[in-house]
Amino acid sequence: MSQLIPSTTPNRQFKDHEGAIITVAVFPDGRRMVTGSFDKTLRLWDLKTGVMLKKMEGHRNMLRILAVSRDGQTIASGDYNGRLIAWHGESGESLTGAIEAHSTRICGLHFSPDGNVLATGSADGTTKLWNTKTWQVQGSPIKFSDYVRCVQYSPSGEHLAIATDSNIHIYNSGTREPVAAFKGNKKSSNLSLAWTPDGTRLLSAGDIRDPSIREWDASTWKQVGDAWTGHTNDIYAIAIHPEGTLVASASSDNHVRLWQLSDQQTIAIFQCSGWVGCITFSMDGKYIFSGGPDNMTSEWKVHKDTLTQEAPKKPASLKQIIPAIIPVIIPAIVPPTIPAINTASNACIVSTEAEEIFTPEVSKLNSVTDTRKLRQQYVTRPEAASVIRKVVDVQLDTAPLRLFNTTTGLLCDREAQISTFKTSAEYKKLLLSTIKHPGLQMEHITEAVATYFHCVMLSHRWEGTELLLHDIQGKVVYKLKVAGGRGVVKLQSFCKIARDDGYHWAWVDTCCIDQNNNVELQKSLNSMFAWYRNSALTVVYLSDVPPSSKPGALAKSTWNTRGWTVPEFLAPKVIRFYQQDWTPYLNDKSPNHKESAKIMHELVDATGIDARALVAFHPGMRNAREKLQWASMRVTTVQEDIAYSLFGIFGVQLPILYGEHKQNALGRLLQEIVARSGDITALDWVGQPSQFNSCLPANISSYAAPPLTLSSLSEDEIQTAVSSLKNTVSAELASNLYDQLDKMSAPRFANCRLHLPCIAFRVTEVRRRRSPVQETHFKYGVKADGLRDLLITTEETLVQFSRVRSIRQTFLLVRPWDRCLLELPDFAEQPGITDDAESSGDWSDSESPLYDSPDGSPVEQEPVDSESLSRALRLIVRLGQPFGAFLLAQQQGGEYKRMASDHDIIAQVKNVASVPSIMDVRTLEIL
């Protein structure tokens, strides 16, 4: 074998992390990458520009592993403390907050192919399966006697492979029944697993005791061939090329190796500056991404000439090579429209048109004499058609079921859309391009398919003459009689705009959904935000804005009061407003009105939504209270839609249950927001309580008032207060309180009951304040242990009592617990435990930070006592400031119910120094 020449220079490097890169994944669309680091953060990257798009914070310890779902919509990450966080794949916003998934480090994460289940494996010896809709564990954990190092679903989802220190276990993922168990790497831990794309092979990698890769037949679970040798230390990760031809491995021997799967031979070596902890391929297979202790993700180009070249042979002439290779590759590179090429008796007759295509290909391949290898570089026409069809299926899987063909004016279902594409000039061009060029150009195919199926969406206000599905099926939109009403004109004008802009497809909610099909309706409403998000253009029709209107007409339009229009203008990236006569609003003919300062300024004033969110909105749970305020004054024809229209804005999918009534629909949404994000600002409202749960409002209009904002202390004031407390507050009590609050779980719902972590103050007196006039609201003076006296105004009639005149019912004033009071640091700005270790070279080759050996695994260092005390005292100072409180009344079953108030209840402790001794920290169940 020729000597390998290691490559030492990456193609480029992605720099922004402040700790070692420990895990990396590329999104299925091939355009973005996500990395995880010892600096406790994840980062999203644009692979085309190399720009860091988002820093994702939430972990309190070093990252260990991450995974991306096959549809790219969800990211999961696990850390050394056993905490799991799910993130929105597009926005990078946290979907769940930190889940206490395992008792110690999470070493393996993998999504099932359908994305419905996430498998986690931990050093605690368990594998758990999580429902990705509810983020609850499904069934009991799968338990082992040693560390779980890696978990991997097979490409079909039939099997789940679990690597432990001693064995590799194969389970039926549907039944959880064990299928096989075998040793794996000899006298070694099984550190990593990877399936080939066809699912016929499983690869495993070992540690320093057996630093090899082994290949396993998925039908017999027997080893195939010999162990792949070359590495000299732990092999942390293996990745397989998207086409299943190459394997990349990452090792603490400072090398990335590239292997040929067919013969198990190393064909390239990439030399890194330190241990390599993670590895993955780009989606087109042209690059390898690796990470290690230099705080950077390196991109390595996959060259075909990494072997030392032999002396070149004399190029063969066209006459010599054509007879040998024509029968092999002509079916691949000559389209059916070109006359046939015949071979007989070592003679080849090539038509002029074929030779024009074929000659350049032969000149590129002059040095190739192995016709079998030459044939493998091309795909046949059926193969190309099959690949294109798979890309089309993926593209349409996230598109509306029915679309208008803007050329013919016909409404097309999924198969009709595909048939139209196959007869188009774009398809023929793509097919010819695919079979002419060696190798599958997946990026080009994906881009061409996406461009063809670009869709234009309509946002409008429903009126009385809208056309429904049964009105237009089988009919040409452009031939409908205008006498049919304004709905006909609207539909025709919209389709013409889409057509004139060069788009083949258009969608309207009135007639592209079967309103009588509950399954289709539910899927459509849950997908609506994504459809608008992915649209090439969204047209907003303002039916009540007359031609030549002045600025301000948009703000006054009825369109601007409707519930569904909020996601319809937030989701799209490109939007255009049209007036009553279908001329551009304000005669602005620019391609995207989101780039019009004048129109966006008007929309900001009309909606109360800041310009940044209008132009570049990201769905998710962040700033939940603000988003609820955006929708607080909107109206919908169907009462439940006021909640359903917000599902996409918050990135949730819930059942659509028309007839459940508004309070239940809104309650289910708010419960999901609180449970998944831990954000208690959704509980900040004034008005009538919901029958769903008393801590939630009956109407979304209760969020119209701005959230409660209290003045905060300056840093100088905090430092002064901390200094005074050092002499009056027990350090032990202060630290115990901090630790107790730090360990409080997030709020959650179960069966419409809110389990709320809070600080409770027992009410000792309630007295009504009399008024000389008849009242609809009652004022009560309230006293509570440890709090200053306060006044509460409510419609509720409260039982009056005092210490002298006591009652059996318990009343509490509670402070909902907000983790922001802990002032957790920005981890990326703090010296991580890896900083000193990496700078001084403390990681030895045999002491890997990834190996997780029981006696050598990295752990988070305990802060010094002074820092701990200072943090605890700062918390006490903040707990001594005024806060928004809930008044709760205990019910017969021991649960509590929130008493509504028409004003915010502002409470404050009497004495800051007494905070550690009076804080009653607990979780209450609220009906």
Side-chain angles (χ1 to χ4, degrees):
M1 177 182 289
S2 302
Q3 183 181 359
L4 292 175
I5 304 175
S7 174
T8 58
T9 306
N11 187 56
R12 58 176 171 164
Q13 292 179 307
F14 298 80
K15 306 176 183 179
D16 195 69
H17 278 292
E18 298 181 17
I21 310 301
I22 203 74
T23 179
V24 61
V26 173
F27 282 78
D29 62 9
R31 293 180 171 88
R32 292 177 300 144
M33 171 178 70
V34 60
T35 54
S37 167
F38 279 175
D39 66 12
K40 307 174 188 177
T41 70
L42 293 85
R43 279 164 167 77
L44 278 175
W45 306 85
D46 185 306
L47 285 178
K48 183 176 182 180
T49 63
V51 172
M52 196 272 287
L53 303 173
K54 174 82 172 179
K55 181 167 75 171
M56 300 153 63
E57 300 171 287
H59 284 283
R60 298 173 57 202
N61 207 324
M62 298 181 298
L63 262 292
R64 179 61 181 83
I65 192 73
L66 65 78
V68 176
S69 62
R70 187 170 290 188
D71 62 4
Q73 293 301 301
T74 309
I75 304 167
S77 58
D79 64 27
Y80 271 87
N81 274 352
R83 291 187 176 93
L84 169 71
I85 298 180
W87 314 79
H88 192 280
E90 185 171 348
S91 67
E93 298 291 338
S94 172
L95 297 176
T96 61
I99 300 171
E100 300 287 346
H102 292 274
S103 61
T104 186
R105 64 189 67 86
I106 299 174
C107 302
L109 290 175
H110 203 235
F111 285 94
S112 62
D114 60 11
N116 291 331
V117 180
L118 174 73
T120 62
S122 168
D124 64 11
T126 66
T127 291
K128 297 181 181 180
L129 305 182
W130 301 80
N131 183 309
T132 57
K133 304 299 182 186
T134 63
W135 292 105
Q136 299 296 314
V137 177
Q138 294 183 338
S140 301
I142 304 173
K143 297 181 179 181
F144 302 95
S145 60
D146 49 6
Y147 282 20
V148 175
R149 299 290 184 181
C150 184
V151 291
Q152 286 281 306
Y153 279 99
S154 63
S156 67
E158 179 184 359
H159 292 129
L160 174 63
I162 304 172
T164 68
D165 272 344
S166 55
N167 289 297
I168 296 173
H169 302 264
I170 310 297
Y171 282 80
N172 182 301
S173 58
T175 64
R176 293 199 183 192
E177 294 295 323
V179 174
F182 46 94
K183 176 59 182 171
N185 287 67
K186 310 304 181 186
K187 298 180 181 179
S188 160
S189 295
N190 302 292
L191 297 185
S192 184
L193 297 171
W195 294 88
T196 57
D198 60 7
T200 61
R201 294 286 190 271
L202 177 68
L203 303 186
S204 66
D207 63 30
I208 190 172
R209 294 168 293 179
D210 179 14
S212 66
I213 296 174
R214 295 176 184 266
E215 182 178 354
W216 308 92
D217 188 319
S219 61
T220 64
W221 306 113
K222 302 296 183 183
Q223 184 171 328
V224 178
D226 297 326
W228 306 13
T229 58
H231 282 300
T232 59
N233 213 322
D234 306 323
I235 303 175
Y236 297 138
I238 45 180
I240 298 184
H241 191 279
E243 294 179 12
T245 55
L246 303 174
V247 176
S249 55
S251 171
S252 63
D253 64 9
N254 299 3
H255 288 148
V256 170
R257 281 182 174 259
L258 186 64
W259 312 75
Q260 189 83 27
L261 182 61
S262 59
D263 58 11
Q264 307 175 344
Q265 296 299 309
T266 301
I267 60 172
I269 298 176
F270 305 98
Q271 185 169 328
C272 305
S273 60
W275 52 261
V276 192
C278 51
I279 198 85
T280 193
F281 281 96
S282 61
M283 293 309 295
D284 60 10
K286 295 179 180 179
Y287 300 96
I288 294 170
F289 299 99
S290 67
D294 58 3
N295 302 0
M296 295 182 289
T297 304
S298 297
E299 177 187 78
W300 306 91
K301 189 173 180 62
V302 179
H303 293 284
K304 294 183 179 179
D305 56 352
T306 49
L307 289 174
T308 302
Q309 297 297 311
E310 297 178 0
K313 299 177 180 179
K314 183 179 179 181
S317 67
L318 184 60
K319 285 186 178 181
Q320 291 172 323
I321 198 169
I322 284 181
I325 62 177
I326 282 291
V328 181
I329 67 171
I330 279 299
I333 66 172
V334 180
T337 55
I338 295 178
I341 296 176
N342 303 307
T343 60
S345 303
N346 294 323
C348 179
I349 303 174
V350 184
S351 72
T352 302
E353 189 175 2
E355 190 166 9
E356 289 177 358
I357 295 175
F358 187 63
T359 301
E361 306 304 324
V362 173
S363 65
K364 296 177 187 176
L365 302 168
N366 258 328
S367 62
V368 180
T369 57
D370 187 337
T371 57
R372 180 182 59 81
K373 289 184 178 179
L374 179 61
R375 172 64 185 87
Q376 290 175 351
Q377 294 184 38
Y378 292 85
V379 294
T380 64
R381 182 186 178 92
E383 289 171 339
S386 176
V387 169
I388 294 172
R389 175 58 191 263
K390 289 178 181 177
V391 175
V392 169
D393 288 340
V394 171
Q395 174 71 26
L396 295 183
D397 188 51
T398 56
L401 177 64
R402 298 182 187 83
L403 294 169
F404 278 106
N405 184 324
T406 60
T407 302
T408 65
L410 289 170
L411 186 65
C412 298
D413 61 15
R414 187 63 46 81
E415 286 306 316
Q417 295 165 38
I418 295 172
S419 297
T420 303
F421 175 52
K422 286 185 174 180
T423 60
S424 68
E426 289 91 339
Y427 177 78
K428 295 174 182 176
K429 182 179 179 181
L430 179 60
L431 187 64
L432 177 58
S433 172
T434 303
I435 62 180
K436 272 184 61 180
H437 295 89
L440 278 172
Q441 300 175 308
M442 292 304 298
E443 185 175 351
H444 171 66
I445 295 172
T446 302
E447 184 176 344
V449 169
T451 300
Y452 179 83
F453 284 103
H454 272 158
C455 176
V456 180
M457 307 282 285
L458 178 66
S459 174
H460 65 122
R461 179 172 66 92
W462 278 48
E463 298 171 290
T465 57
E466 302 294 347
L467 297 178
L468 302 180
L469 177 61
H470 66 270
D471 296 318
I472 51 88
Q473 276 188 315
K475 300 177 183 178
V476 177
V477 167
Y478 303 125
K479 294 182 180 180
L480 295 176
K481 295 181 180 179
V482 176
R486 294 174 64 183
V488 173
V489 176
K490 182 193 296 186
L491 191 55
Q492 291 175 338
S493 301
F494 168 62
C495 288
K496 288 176 182 176
I497 284 178
R499 181 191 63 192
D500 294 346
D501 269 13
Y503 297 108
H504 299 293
W505 307 101
W507 184 90
V508 185
D509 56 352
T510 52
C511 48
C512 291
I513 301 175
D514 185 352
Q515 309 285 339
N516 297 317
N517 185 324
N518 288 333
V519 174
E520 180 181 333
L521 182 62
Q522 173 154 313
K523 182 177 180 180
S524 297
L525 295 185
N526 266 316
S527 303
M528 199 85 74
F529 187 92
W531 293 348
Y532 278 95
R533 186 72 162 178
N534 296 330
S535 67
L537 166 67
T538 291
V539 169
V540 176
Y541 179 54
L542 309 171
S543 61
D544 54 354
V545 175
S548 304
S549 290
K550 302 297 182 183
L554 167 60
K556 299 175 183 177
S557 173
T558 306
W559 172 87
N560 211 28
T561 66
R562 309 300 296 177
W564 279 107
T565 58
V566 177
E568 290 171 6
F569 69 73
L570 284 177
K573 297 179 178 65
V574 181
I575 198 167
R576 288 210 298 267
F577 293 89
Y578 287 85
Q579 303 170 135
Q580 192 178 77
D581 64 348
W582 290 93
T583 58
Y585 179 59
L586 301 183
N587 198 34
D588 187 333
K589 298 180 181 179
S590 61
N592 185 7
H593 284 172
K594 283 200 171 184
E595 298 175 355
S596 166
K598 183 183 294 185
I599 293 178
M600 286 300 103
H601 180 74
E602 185 174 343
L603 207 54
V604 168
D605 291 341
T607 62
I609 303 173
D610 66 87
R612 181 178 299 180
L614 285 175
V615 174
F617 177 77
H618 293 291
M621 301 294 183
R622 176 167 290 187
N623 300 322
R625 180 60 171 77
E626 181 184 20
K627 292 172 182 174
L628 291 166
Q629 187 178 2
W630 296 346
S632 60
M633 302 308 293
R634 298 276 170 160
V635 295
T636 56
T637 303
V638 181
Q639 59 173 306
E640 293 91 348
D641 279 347
I642 197 63
Y644 300 163
S645 62
L646 300 178
F647 284 4
I649 287 177
F650 288 102
V652 302
Q653 290 199 349
L654 297 171
I656 305 296
L657 306 171
Y658 283 117
E660 67 173 324
H661 301 302
K662 175 176 59 179
Q663 289 193 27
N664 205 66
L666 182 60
R668 287 195 297 119
L669 172 62
L670 295 174
Q671 138 180 300
E672 189 78 0
I673 293 171
V674 173
R676 283 176 54 175
S677 69
D679 185 352
I680 61 171
T681 60
L683 308 180
D684 178 6
W685 53 271
V686 172
Q688 293 300 310
S690 171
Q691 296 177 3
F692 184 89
N693 184 278
S694 63
C695 272
L696 303 178
N699 299 291
I700 199 168
S701 58
S702 292
Y703 292 113
L708 174 64
T709 303
L710 298 172
S711 59
S712 58
L713 297 177
S714 68
E715 183 59 29
D716 288 342
E717 290 172 325
I718 293 176
Q719 291 294 345
T720 300
V722 167
S723 297
S724 66
L725 288 176
K726 286 182 178 179
N727 300 320
T728 57
V729 173
S730 162
E732 183 179 0
L733 286 177
S735 296
N736 288 343
L737 176 62
Y738 187 96
D739 292 341
Q740 186 179 12
L741 289 170
D742 187 23
K743 294 175 182 177
M744 289 292 284
S745 60
R748 63 183 179 88
F749 275 89
N751 299 320
C752 301
R753 297 178 178 222
L754 172 62
H755 297 262
L756 180 69
C758 61
I759 302 170
F761 302 88
R762 187 182 182 91
V763 175
T764 59
E765 181 177 306
V766 174
R767 290 184 183 273
R768 182 176 171 184
R769 301 289 177 86
R770 298 294 177 180
S771 172
V773 297
Q774 187 174 2
E775 299 172 296
T776 57
H777 291 73
F778 307 106
K779 293 183 178 180
Y780 295 90
V782 177
K783 296 179 182 291
D785 287 336
L787 296 181
R788 296 178 182 179
D789 297 349
L790 63 157
L791 194 64
I792 294 177
T793 305
T794 178
E795 287 185 353
E796 302 276 354
T797 301
L798 302 182
V799 178
Q800 299 185 69
F801 63 94
S802 65
R803 291 186 186 274
V804 177
R805 184 184 171 188
S806 62
I807 59 173
R808 296 184 63 182
Q809 187 177 21
T810 299
F811 285 83
L812 298 175
L813 279 169
V814 303
R815 176 176 195 155
W817 172 237
D818 184 354
R819 289 189 62 83
C820 292
L821 293 173
L822 294 175
E823 292 187 296
L824 293 175
D826 182 348
F827 298 127
E829 295 177 357
Q830 302 300 313
I833 75 165
T834 58
D835 293 340
D836 293 337
E838 289 167 14
S839 62
S840 61
D842 285 347
W843 292 123
S844 68
D845 285 345
S846 59
E847 277 188 337
S848 154
L850 304 187
Y851 182 64
D852 299 340
S853 59
D855 58 351
S857 58
V859 295
E860 193 170 13
Q861 297 177 350
E862 290 295 328
V864 297
D865 290 343
S866 61
E867 292 179 356
S868 177
L869 177 59
S870 175
R871 204 166 51 227
L873 293 178
R874 289 178 67 89
L875 172 63
I876 290 173
V877 171
R878 293 185 177 278
L879 290 174
Q881 299 307 299
F883 63 91
F886 297 168
L887 177 61
L888 303 182
Q890 192 173 35
Q891 307 300 296
Q892 285 186 343
E895 314 92 341
Y896 287 84
K897 184 177 180 181
R898 181 178 176 180
M899 311 302 288
S901 172
D902 68 340
H903 292 86
D904 291 311
I905 300 175
I906 309 299
Q908 186 175 8
V909 299
K910 291 178 180 178
N911 181 8
V912 177
S914 67
V915 165
S917 58
I918 66 171
M919 294 290 109
D920 180 6
V921 179
R922 56 168 116 170
T923 297
L924 297 176
E925 185 176 359
I926 304 175
L927 300 176

